[in-house]
Amino acid sequence: MHTKKFYNGLYGSNSIEFAKGLIYVYPFGEIGKNNDGQVKPHAHNNLLQLFFVETGTTEFHESSHKTIIESPALIAVPKNMEHGFVHLTEVTGWIINLADTVLEHMLQREGEVVFGMDEVHIIPITSEDTASVAVHATMQKCVEEYNSQYPGRLLMLQYLVGQMLVQLYRISLGGQQTIVSADNISKVYYRRFQQLIKEGHTYKKHVEEYARDLFISTGHLSRICRGIAGKSPKEILIDYFITEAQLALSDVDRNISDISYTLGFDDPAYFARLFRKRTGLTPMAFRKKIGVRYS
């Protein structure tokens, strides 16, 4: 039985330093250079990846599919999707890594945009296709802003990321790209589980209650989550509420105890311990790290 290899960071790494919990940019091709031109199949359960192939040719692997990608092109890979590369020539470009839970928060009023990125999209960039040229230009601006220290950098990155996602979604509606579908009944249950977590928005709700709402057993839900995300339902719940806590902690007007109660934690001390266990920082230390000073 094949088991997915998951990384919490980029390939071979289990950590990633998102700017403001949103975005991390890394040169495409560098990881392949360090692995004899091959990036073995793997998945990430915490980020959406956008690969911009600026120069060169690579073979993209997804499930049983293999696709030759000629530059320039864009590949969008959602979380939990197993993928890999065999570089056929020297390649250059960028990997834009986006924290998917934060993106869903950004686009909560346009949820279909996030769900529309739940597929693999392969988009050739050609001068005749104005939509592909436009998303390419937005991606270049995003990389430039990420590598800069301009005033308002994080706000601009948030704007550019939102614009890029909407552009990709509109391209997908137009059918102008190759889509490798991975839909199955387990994926439907998994996405519905995520929706129920967001709708309930309380840590008090137990895994058994979610399974009951889905009309499946707790064991079935566990198998679905482990098969798709490599995590238990409880771990997925914790990840969601820790991400929500990180977003709330960026608001200087909210104190830590109120945040913990709002998220459904009865004991702020337990919340603080869980937050530290998952992030390596206390809530106060996290605020200090992102530049929030609470008084």
Side-chain angles (χ1 to χ4, degrees), residues 4-197:
K4 285 185 187 178
K5 177 66 176 179
F6 283 92
Y7 293 107
N8 291 326
L10 297 183
Y11 179 78
S13 170
N14 278 313
S15 63
I16 190 166
E17 189 68 27
F18 290 114
K20 200 67 173 182
L22 174 65
I23 184 171
Y24 178 76
V25 177
Y26 191 82
F28 181 60
E30 290 298 309
I31 296 173
K33 285 181 182 178
N34 297 327
N35 292 275
D36 298 320
Q38 183 175 8
V39 178
K40 294 181 180 179
H42 64 286
H44 310 274
N45 50 32
N46 63 334
L47 55 90
L48 163 71
Q49 291 188 305
L50 305 175
F51 298 89
F52 169 47
V53 188
E54 190 168 22
T55 66
T57 304
T58 188
E59 184 178 71
F60 173 65
H61 294 191
E62 188 278 322
S63 187
S64 59
H65 301 272
K66 296 181 181 180
T67 307
I68 302 296
I69 308 294
E70 299 279 359
S71 62
L74 175 64
I75 309 166
V77 179
K79 71 173 185 177
N80 301 319
M81 187 69 71
E82 191 172 43
H83 62 284
F85 294 92
V86 175
H87 299 324
L88 305 180
T89 68
E90 183 174 350
V91 295
T92 64
W94 298 97
I95 310 171
I96 297 182
N97 304 274
L98 307 174
D100 78 306
T101 47
V102 178
L103 293 175
E104 291 188 12
H105 182 85
M106 279 175 54
L107 297 170
Q108 57 187 324
R109 295 184 181 178
E110 297 287 345
E112 69 273 14
V113 175
V114 174
F115 298 146
M117 297 310 299
D118 219 12
E119 304 278 359
V120 170
H121 299 271
I122 302 174
I123 305 170
I125 299 169
T126 64
S127 58
E128 297 81 14
D129 182 0
T130 56
S132 71
V133 171
V135 73
H136 173 214
T138 304
M139 179 177 282
Q140 288 181 312
K141 290 178 184 177
C142 195
V143 172
E144 179 184 351
E145 195 69 37
Y146 180 87
N147 290 322
S148 78
Q149 292 300 323
Y150 298 140
R153 170 176 172 262
L154 294 176
L155 186 61
M156 181 61 78
L157 280 171
Q158 188 173 18
Y159 163 76
L160 289 170
V161 166
Q163 180 179 350
M164 187 165 53
L165 286 174
V166 171
Q167 288 173 323
L168 287 169
Y169 177 62
R170 289 177 177 175
I171 288 175
S172 75
L173 291 179
Q176 299 177 36
Q177 76 296 314
T178 302
I179 300 177
V180 181
S181 177
D183 282 336
N184 53 53
I185 191 62
S186 292
K187 188 175 177 182
V188 172
Y189 276 124
Y190 181 77
R191 176 56 75 179
R192 181 57 184 152
F193 175 48
Q194 292 182 307
Q195 289 176 319
L196 289 172
I197 294 171

Side-chain angles (χ1 to χ4, degrees), residues 206-212 215-225 232-234:
H206 299 295
V207 171
E208 293 78 8
E209 295 176 82
Y210 286 107
R212 190 162 56 246
F215 301 100
I216 60 176
S217 69
T218 304
H220 190 180
L221 179 58
S222 180
R223 288 191 294 274
I224 288 170
C225 292
S232 70
K234 186 66 173 179

